[in-house]
Amino acid sequence: MDVHVRLDGQRDLSGQIYRQLRTAIHGGLLRPGDPLPPTRVLARRLSVARNTVGVAYERLVAEGYADSKVGSGTFVRTTGLSTPEAAPATDTAGLGLRPRALWAGLSPWASPETTGSTTADHDFRVGLPDARLFPYDAWRPLISRELRLSAAGAVGYGDPAGHAGLRAALARHIGLSRGVRTSPDDILVTTSTQQALDLIGRVLLEPGDRVAVEEPGYPPARLTFLAQGAEVTGIPVDAEGLLVDAIPPDTRAVYVTPAHQFPLGMPMSLRRRTALLRWARRHGAAVIEDDYDSEFRFGGRPVETLQSLDRNGHVIYVGSFSKVMLPSLRVGFLVAPAPLRTALRTAKYTADWHTAVPTQAALARFVDDGLLARHIRRMQHTYATRHQTITRVLTDHFADLAQLVPSAAGLHVTAFARGHLADPDALADRAGRARASGVAVYTLTEVAANRSARPGFVFGYGSISAPDIEPGLHRVLGPPKDH
């Protein structure tokens, strides 16, 4: 790695080089064993005599910062150095730039998907698929092939709308599996659901426009719209989903999770879905449908998407591969009505031009070769077993402490607290003690946008094996009532 050295004037050049290299060593930028640039190379770069650099190096060696090895070069000393000092922070508190006022109250969501111990004995974090069961052996040759094509110069910048093969594969996949009425031209590939929401907001919303979200609901969606200057209004949900009659008439867009409400888990009833579409048509509003983990269903009839019921072009359908494959792939998509296509593609271009082309191309093959469908079938069986286990244990042993919210899909279940755990402080204390005992678990208020949500737990079962579920629940909720 090149070392940046800046010379000021023509005085004490060796001393300037010495002091800057010493500072880099003290600050940990140059680590024990790292090579210093050859004296000839650094002298040429700085336009000084080679001897000038040599004097600086000799001083570093003499003072114990470096070792010189004949024929090999000069290296940062591996022993005897003090602990690197942290570089002092620049104090700019009273200077320069300020964010827009709306950012003062916003901060990243401490998502249970990314927080908590990844080495917990019992991992009930929300929204995580089981990465251990991903078909890496099938995926590896697909991505390797695309990387070889990139290395050969066969791939340049991509289409902002996404890889043509992937858009065609997606149109077939969601058409067959979810009944979404679409063509490849309707699809825009994104890096995530979060980016899809951001692009939709850029295209549809003016600062001050009202966006309705479910309450309790998904915090990152609320955060995205707040960051764009929207007026975000929480709309209550009940056993049938969003209360459509509670949506303010001046609402420009409504964000919903109808197949598996986040975080409670119930589907939106057909009656409510029909009412929401009527409301959107009457008010000229957009409905943003997040179908985030609907591939995994364990009972009952499949829930029709709002997009498949929409006949007036008001629904924007959003999905991703974070739950069905791996979050680290960073591939999502949206399906938009035709009038929004050009604007959304332009918004994607201005955001990051396009999603990684090799990943898109490999994913297209993964879908077309039937590997995605095979993986979903396998995981559906695995998750169904875990869903059955967690619901059985909560119902049979802990009904006095946990009221299970009926759910037949997804990767988590929610249970409202009962008895003494209905007190928020008691619930928080129980969650804290469970974490201390090696259980990654979260309360409803920790995963919902509405911090006054009814006390309860949200139990993810995507990354916990079935045998670990029952003992993990016992650690959270205590000895079962029949002991």
Side-chain angles (χ1 to χ4, degrees):
M1 180 184 301
D2 288 339
V3 179
H4 177 71
V5 175
R6 176 180 175 274
L7 298 181
D8 185 10
Q10 297 297 320
R11 300 183 61 181
D12 191 22
L13 299 181
S14 292
Q16 292 186 54
I17 296 169
Y18 156 78
R19 286 188 291 273
Q20 292 181 53
L21 292 176
R22 182 187 63 183
T23 298
I25 293 170
H26 272 303
L29 299 178
L30 284 172
R31 299 168 300 178
D34 281 350
L36 300 183
T39 54
R40 180 183 293 106
V41 171
L42 186 56
R44 184 168 58 247
R45 189 189 314 150
L46 298 177
S47 299
V48 298
R50 184 179 179 186
N51 185 59
T52 300
V53 177
V55 170
Y57 281 20
E58 289 171 3
R59 188 172 174 184
L60 290 170
V61 171
E63 296 185 12
Y65 290 105
D67 290 315
S68 180
K69 301 178 182 178
V70 177
S72 298
T74 305
F75 299 81
V76 178
R77 179 162 290 184
T78 57
T79 59
L81 285 177
S82 59
T83 304
E85 303 168 358
T90 303
D91 183 8
T92 59
L95 307 173
L97 303 177
R98 293 286 189 278
R100 291 164 56 201
L102 70 87
W103 288 94
L106 303 181
S107 59
W109 182 45
S111 165
E113 300 176 15
T114 56
T115 58
S117 172
T118 57
T119 58
D121 296 334
H122 306 278
D123 191 351
F124 290 110
R125 285 179 296 162
V126 180
L128 289 177
D130 197 332
R132 298 165 297 187
L133 302 181
F134 182 73
Y136 295 99
D137 289 343
W139 175 255
R140 193 174 295 111
L142 298 179
I143 194 68
S144 295
R145 175 182 180 274
E146 300 305 327
L147 290 173
R148 285 195 300 271
L149 290 175
S150 296
V155 179
Y157 288 105
D159 184 343
H163 184 276
L166 179 57
R167 286 188 284 124
L170 282 173
R172 290 190 297 273
H173 172 67
I174 61 178
L176 286 171
S177 65
R178 297 295 292 130
V180 173
R181 298 178 297 105
T182 187
S183 72
D185 289 339
D186 299 323
I187 294 176
L188 177 75
V189 179
T190 66
T191 56
S192 61
T193 293
Q194 200 65 15
Q195 186 183 51
L197 300 181
D198 181 72
L199 298 178
I200 292 166
R202 295 189 196 201
V203 166
L204 285 181
L205 302 177
E206 299 283 355
D209 280 351
R210 187 181 303 279
V211 177
V213 299
E214 298 164 317
E215 193 165 279
Y218 186 51
R222 178 187 289 256
L223 184 62
T224 295
F225 300 128
L226 285 172
Q228 294 175 334
E231 183 74 26
V232 179
T233 300
I235 308 299
V237 299
D238 63 11
E240 292 189 68
L242 188 80
L243 295 175
V244 176
D245 292 342
I247 304 174
D250 63 342
T251 298
R252 179 75 175 109
V254 183
Y255 168 82
V256 289
T257 53
H260 184 230
Q261 200 278 334
F262 186 93
L264 300 183
M266 67 282 186
M268 183 182 289
S269 69
L270 178 59
R271 181 170 71 97
R272 250 348 127 67
R273 281 176 279 147
T274 302
L276 178 57
L277 292 175
R278 282 200 305 266
W279 184 95
R281 184 173 66 252
R282 187 165 63 252
H283 292 86
V287 175
I288 304 168
E289 177 179 17
D290 185 350
D291 206 28
Y292 67 101
D293 62 3
S294 60
E295 292 89 353
F296 304 120
R297 186 158 195 85
F298 318 120
R301 293 181 178 178
V303 177
E304 288 181 281
T305 63
L306 288 166
Q307 197 273 354
S308 67
L309 298 172
D310 178 30
R311 295 295 184 268
N312 300 100
H314 287 275
V315 175
I316 305 172
Y317 179 90
V318 173
S320 85
F321 290 88
S322 294
K323 308 296 185 292
V324 74
M325 292 180 69
L326 294 172
S328 56
L329 287 181
R330 309 314 297 147
V331 179
F333 61 94
L334 62 82
V335 179
L340 300 181
R341 286 179 193 163
T342 300
L344 285 167
R345 291 178 182 183
T346 304
K348 171 66 175 176
Y349 173 80
T350 63
D352 63 357
W353 198 326
H354 61 80
T355 302
V357 175
T359 302
Q360 291 187 71
L363 184 53
R365 291 281 303 277
F366 194 78
V367 176
D368 282 339
D369 291 352
L371 298 172
L372 177 63
R374 186 183 309 166
H375 176 59
I376 290 174
R377 286 193 298 269
R378 180 188 179 198
M379 297 312 298
Q380 191 165 22
H381 176 75
T382 298
Y383 294 144
T385 300
R386 298 177 187 179
H387 178 270
Q388 183 181 35
T389 301
I390 202 167
T391 55
R392 174 185 58 78
V393 174
L394 288 173
T395 302
D396 291 352
H397 297 314
F398 297 108
D400 57 332
L401 295 176
Q403 177 190 343
L404 191 66
V405 178
S407 174
L411 296 179
H412 73 267
V413 295
T414 295
F416 293 132
R418 281 177 165 170
H420 70 279
L421 289 184
D423 175 74
D425 291 336
L427 187 76
D429 179 69
R430 179 63 64 91
R433 287 193 285 116
R435 291 169 192 149
S437 71
V439 182
V441 67
Y442 292 86
T443 65
L444 181 55
T445 56
E446 289 173 318
V447 302
N450 177 15
R451 294 305 178 186
S452 60
R454 183 176 172 183
F457 284 108
V458 183
F459 296 105
Y461 48 82
S463 58
I464 185 170
S465 60
D468 288 332
I469 290 175
E470 184 164 353
L473 290 175
H474 288 176
R475 287 198 194 181
V476 176
L477 296 170
K481 64 182 181 180
D482 53 354
H483 279 201

